[in-house]
Amino acid sequence: MRIALGVEYDGSAYHGWQSQPDVPNVQNALAAALAQITGDPVVVHTAGRTDTGVHALEQVVHFDTRAVRPLSAWVRGANALLPRDIAVLWAHAVPDEFHARFSAQARSYQYVLVNRPSRIGVHHGKVGWFHLPLDVAAMRAAAKLLLGEHDFSAFRAAECQAKSPVKHLTRLDIRQQGDTIFFDLTANAFLHHMVRNIVGCLVYVGKGKHPPQWVKEVLAGRDRSRAAPTFAPNGLYLKRIHYDASWRLPQLHFE
């Protein structure tokens, strides 16, 4: 039987999603909890890996098991065994043809940035921070230049293992509420550090270091050294994995 799960986590205490020896990671924690329920080792496949310090509002994973349990038991059982900063949101039986990663049609991320002179206190580790005033209108103008299918090599980490740097960015919205700026991005897939590198470049535009047109020049140049530094992971959230409705996954919806 193949089971899909929706999972949320606070990535502050973890070295990312991916299983690694001798360091805390989300994949190992979830697999260990599920193994206690099934009585057998469990291999957990994910829709997308997140980096150290990055959070997830609704990561999607799947695993195979011979254990027969009510769907509600996978949620309650896993949550009773998981650390407090990881939670299973839902469980759904899926056909063997379903794959959390390869069946996904798109991914959505959100970056939350507090823009004020004083540093973060209560929300430390949950949001990014920039101390100088930012021109949101200029950042929006720059964001429009990144939409569409492009070679995003200039926004790719050196250690990125993606086969192709060409991705289709369908959404890059920027909205402001008080001193908090939200960046919402959707693409068919993302390169390693792509979101954080895009945010870094938009912040450069927002603080007046470059005009909006500069991001188009960076994109066309395909040279990572010409772009802004990678922005901090604190404010980055994997928001949603998009699938065809035929899988009938009980996904949550976030504004």
Side-chain angles (χ1 to χ4, degrees), residues 53-250:
V54 175
H55 318 293
L57 298 178
E58 192 179 21
Q59 172 74 277
V60 176
V61 307
H62 82 263
F63 66 97
D64 295 325
T65 180
R66 295 175 294 180
V68 179
R69 303 282 188 276
L71 291 176
S72 59
W74 293 114
V75 178
R76 294 196 307 269
N79 286 340
L81 297 165
L82 283 166
R84 293 175 59 186
D85 46 11
I86 305 174
V88 174
L89 304 172
W90 51 260
H92 187 69
V94 290
D96 290 346
E97 294 76 26
F98 174 84
H99 193 285
R101 177 184 174 190
F102 299 118
S103 298
Q105 297 177 321
R107 287 88 172 156
S108 290
Y109 281 86
Q110 182 176 81
Y111 197 96
V112 183
L113 177 66
V114 172
N115 183 210
R116 70 185 191 197
S118 56
R119 66 175 179 83
I120 302 303
V122 171
H123 298 294
H124 175 73
K126 303 296 194 306
V127 298
W129 170 58
F130 192 73
H131 63 292
L132 298 177
L134 293 173
D135 183 340
V136 174
M139 292 194 293
R140 287 179 180 142
K144 291 180 181 179
L145 302 175
L146 296 175
L147 291 172
E149 186 173 78
H150 305 287
D151 182 329
F152 281 94
S153 291
F155 301 90
R156 178 183 193 174
E159 60 270 29
C160 180
Q161 298 178 357
K163 293 181 180 179
S164 171
V166 177
K167 303 300 173 188
H168 191 180
L169 186 65
T170 58
R171 182 187 184 193
L172 207 180
D173 294 339
I174 304 172
R175 57 189 171 91
Q176 186 172 21
Q177 294 181 352
D179 61 6
T180 304
I181 302 172
F182 298 87
F183 301 81
D184 285 289
L185 304 89
T186 299
N188 61 327
F190 287 88
L191 301 168
H192 191 193
H193 287 175
M194 179 173 160
V195 175
R196 291 162 58 192
N197 290 333
I198 287 175
V199 170
C201 284
L202 294 177
V203 167
Y204 263 29
V205 170
K207 73 175 185 177
K209 184 176 178 66
H210 296 288
Q213 185 68 21
W214 171 73
V215 300
K216 188 173 183 179
E217 297 170 3
V218 171
L219 182 67
R222 303 178 185 179
D223 182 354
R224 176 72 192 99
S225 66
R226 295 181 60 187
T230 303
F231 220 71
N234 310 38
L236 184 57
Y237 294 79
L238 174 58
K239 191 175 181 181
R240 184 184 178 194
I241 310 297
H242 302 259
Y243 295 94
D244 189 275
S246 62
W247 298 116
R248 300 183 181 277
L249 298 183

